[in-house]
Amino acid sequence: MPITLYYLPLSPYCRSVLLTARAVGIDLTLKTVNLFDGEQLKPEFIQINPQHTVPTMVDGDLTLWESRAICMYLSSQYGKDDSLYPKDPKARAKVDALLHFDLSTLAHRWGLVFGPVKLGKLSKPSQESVDKFHEALGWLDGFLSHKKFAAGTDHVTIADHVLVANISSYQAAGFIIQDYSNIYTWLQRCKEAIDGYEELNGNDAKKYGDFVKSKITEK
Ligand SMILES: N[C@@H](CCC(=O)N[C@@H](CS)C(=O)NCC(=O)O)C(=O)O
């Protein structure tokens, strides 16, 4: 039975799922939902996901949205071993904590930076939102100190997939990740260690960065 992913490559959240799927070695049937044309609001998609967000995955009788939950599911269900998403409660808790940090703090604060600009309410991000976003980047930089990969493992986990899709997009959008030496070093390491990095994430992170820059009309 094919696993279907409704997605848009520009979306960092969709790209994290692509990285996890590649790492577990499964093929996804990809269906593009063009958010720029409002395709997510069509009745056929609302029927699948009433919240009309991508990524949305359908695997048999399971329909799932929320990118981090999809990465957890794919690695738990199809991973050859538990390296991507450890079964050991303490090791898993480290991965989970980063996924929650990403959702509730990092990506959330990014939404406060870019959301109003994307919607045309502001011509550039507010200074307050940028400061709060940098505070979150600073925390992440601290978490990554003396770590090879984000959750403290010597190999990639889904925490890296999720964070790398976002961080590479922020970097492409002009946020100076180089100032955060631990983030910078970890990002370079992920680029080398993650299977299909450029194909599945790198190229579209750059396009996302161009999209963000195109929306900021005031310097
Ligand atoms: N927390 C969700 C966020 C998903 C999300 O907001 N996706 C955006 C694209 S980046 C979307 O589908 N927006 C269309 C809409 O909300 O109508 C996740 O990680 O999957």
Side-chain angles (χ1 to χ4, degrees), residues 11-13 35 40-41 51-55 65-68 103:
S11 156
Y13 310 126
L35 304 179
Q40 80 277 25
L41 301 175
Q51 200 187 334
H52 50 78
T53 51
V54 290
W65 50 94
E66 289 297 338
S67 56
R68 297 154 196 84
L103 174 64

Side-chain angles (χ1 to χ4, degrees), residues 22-171:
R22 175 66 62 87
V24 297
I26 50 165
D27 286 326
L28 298 171
T29 301
L30 296 173
K31 295 202 176 166
T32 303
V33 179
N34 191 337
L35 304 179
F36 297 100
D37 290 345
E39 273 181 14
Q40 80 277 25
L41 301 175
K42 286 188 174 168
E44 24 318 0
F45 190 64
I46 298 276
Q47 216 170 20
I48 299 167
N49 173 358
Q51 200 187 334
H52 50 78
T53 51
V54 290
T56 295
M57 184 211 73
V58 181
D59 184 11
D61 61 1
L62 177 69
T63 300
L64 199 59
W65 50 94
E66 289 297 338
S67 56
R68 297 154 196 84
I70 299 172
C71 293
M72 289 160 151
Y73 169 72
L74 291 178
S75 50
S76 305
Q77 179 75 310
Y78 296 106
K80 290 173 213 59
D81 53 38
D82 73 345
S83 65
L84 283 170
Y85 192 35
K87 287 200 175 85
D88 170 73
K90 287 185 179 168
R92 175 169 287 216
K94 287 283 182 197
V95 174
D96 287 342
L98 285 163
L99 297 178
H100 287 279
F101 169 75
D102 179 72
L103 174 64
S104 64
T105 303
L106 191 62
H108 173 68
R109 291 187 182 196
W110 172 250
L112 299 177
V113 169
F114 184 50
V117 177
K118 186 170 67 177
L119 296 174
K121 292 181 181 164
L122 291 177
S123 52
K124 66 173 188 178
S126 73
Q127 192 55 49
E128 189 192 356
S129 69
V130 171
D131 292 345
K132 296 286 273 181
F133 181 62
H134 276 293
E135 183 182 41
L137 287 174
W139 286 328
L140 179 63
D141 197 61
F143 303 158
L144 293 173
S145 169
H146 303 297
K147 300 241 171 66
K148 190 167 177 196
F149 291 101
T153 55
D154 61 2
H155 55 268
V156 169
T157 69
I158 57 171
D160 298 292
H161 292 157
V162 166
L163 286 165
V164 89
N166 281 332
I167 289 290
S168 58
S169 302
Y170 306 148
Q171 183 183 41

